[in-house]
Amino acid sequence: MGDRFSIEALLPEDYLDHQLRSDVRAGLTGRPKSVQPKWFYDAAGSRLFERITRLPEYYPTRAEREILTARSGEIAAATGAASLIELGSGSSEKTRILLEALEPDVYIPVDVSRTALEDAAAGLVRAHPDLTVHAVVGDFQHELKLPRSPGPRLLAFLGGTIGNLTPGRRERFLAGLPGLLEPGDSLLVGTDLVKDERTLVAAYDDAQGVTAAFNKNMLRVLNRRLGADFDPERFSHVARWDARREWIEMRLRSDGAQSVRIASLDLEVRFDDGEDLLTETSTKFRREGVAAELERAGFALRRWWTDEAGRFAVSLAELS
């Protein structure tokens, strides 16, 4: 890839192992017991999630792609972005739609996985001969620094991932974004919207059981990486809508009383019969709420687009 690709590692090599141990100890000794959803994604978990995105019940990926395909030209015209920054870029799949419309000079993908960044960059550099890719191995929930790049800049946070942050974490995350940008730069955010309970629950509890397998795979991740002895078959997948908080919860419910040993943490965790392990919350949004959260962080909402069915939204905001 030559001088058109560079990669900067902001995280030490043992960062993910340290974070996993810290998160799991805090989560399994808390009330309710919980594990953060970022630990779904080992190789098997990533493959299962790809299957989820193709399920008839799971609309967010298709809906966001529909919006980006229809509105990428407007995004390019509104921002005039010379640099595209993407947080949690992964395979940079949907970003290709933006790159075609924006034709930026620089693309800055940020992800915790160096392998994912390198794999995605190889294809992008081939497809866009004039594009320079400055990849960053970093965690958007922690201190983040970006390489210098030409303005104006567009920072993208897609996939509805912002909904996986609890309100306090989301507020801190958004408050930190202006430090990465300059006045006049833009923020593009994908958010799943509040809708009927049946549609929402089905998206997280599909008829084929793929989401259940994805949820239980987290226990296999903990077994492999932390020497735990979870039996995934002794937990049931649960998806429920919390109407007060307007979020979906995914849980693993203990089938019977049991104890689990986490060898590398020297920790034994007791589950009562029917006790839940919270593995994900996914907030669903309304336009007025998105606008208010962005405003508190220093952004002004400029555009709001939804898919034809009104299930998902992409917001374009400008840093004041």
Side-chain angles (χ1 to χ4, degrees), residues 108-125:
I108 303 175
V110 180
D111 200 272
V112 295
S113 171
R114 185 184 188 101
T115 300
L117 290 168
E118 291 174 339
D119 290 347
L124 293 174
V125 168

Side-chain angles (χ1 to χ4, degrees), residues 20 24 35 218-228 230:
L20 176 62
V24 170
V35 180
M218 179 184 279
L219 302 181
R220 295 184 173 90
V221 172
L222 302 187
N223 287 349
R224 177 172 52 82
R225 295 187 59 178
L226 296 179
F230 283 98

Side-chain angles (χ1 to χ4, degrees), residues 42-242:
D42 65 348
S46 296
R47 288 193 296 270
L48 284 166
F49 185 72
E50 283 300 312
R51 288 180 60 192
I52 288 170
T53 65
R54 298 191 293 269
L55 292 169
E57 299 97 330
Y58 193 80
Y59 59 85
T61 302
R62 291 189 298 276
E64 187 177 55
R65 181 181 294 277
E66 176 188 322
I67 298 166
L68 294 176
T69 300
R71 304 295 185 176
S72 59
E74 295 176 53
I75 294 168
T79 63
S83 298
L84 174 62
I85 304 161
E86 185 179 13
L87 303 183
S89 57
S91 65
S92 301
E93 181 86 18
K94 282 177 286 194
T95 318
R96 298 168 193 269
I97 300 169
L98 292 175
L99 289 171
E100 290 288 343
L102 291 168
E103 297 183 343
D105 299 320
V106 176
Y107 173 50
I108 303 175
V110 180
D111 200 272
V112 295
S113 171
R114 185 184 188 101
T115 300
L117 290 168
E118 291 174 339
D119 290 347
L124 293 174
V125 168
R126 286 194 299 270
H128 300 274
D130 297 323
L131 181 67
T132 297
V133 179
H134 293 309
V136 175
V137 181
D139 185 344
F140 64 78
Q141 293 192 59
H142 295 269
E143 186 175 352
L144 185 62
K145 295 180 182 179
L146 298 176
R148 294 178 63 85
S149 64
R153 297 160 198 81
L154 173 62
L155 191 154
F157 192 42
L158 300 173
T161 306
I162 194 167
N164 294 139
L165 304 179
T166 57
R169 288 185 175 182
R170 194 164 64 243
E171 183 176 11
R172 291 190 293 273
F173 164 73
L174 288 170
L177 295 184
L180 304 176
L181 302 171
E182 296 181 6
D185 289 346
S186 300
L187 172 65
L188 191 72
V189 183
T191 50
D192 198 6
L193 301 179
V194 174
K195 58 187 69 65
D196 67 281
E197 180 176 353
R198 182 177 178 180
T199 299
L200 286 165
V201 171
Y204 293 83
D205 193 13
D206 63 278
Q208 296 180 44
V210 181
T211 311
F214 174 71
N215 199 7
K216 290 184 180 184
N217 185 68
M218 179 184 279
L219 302 181
R220 295 184 173 90
V221 172
L222 302 187
N223 287 349
R224 177 172 52 82
R225 295 187 59 178
L226 296 179
D229 61 0
F230 283 98
D231 180 355
E233 300 311 310
R234 296 194 64 191
F235 288 83
S236 297
H237 169 69
V238 176
R240 62 180 294 270
W241 170 242
D242 186 323

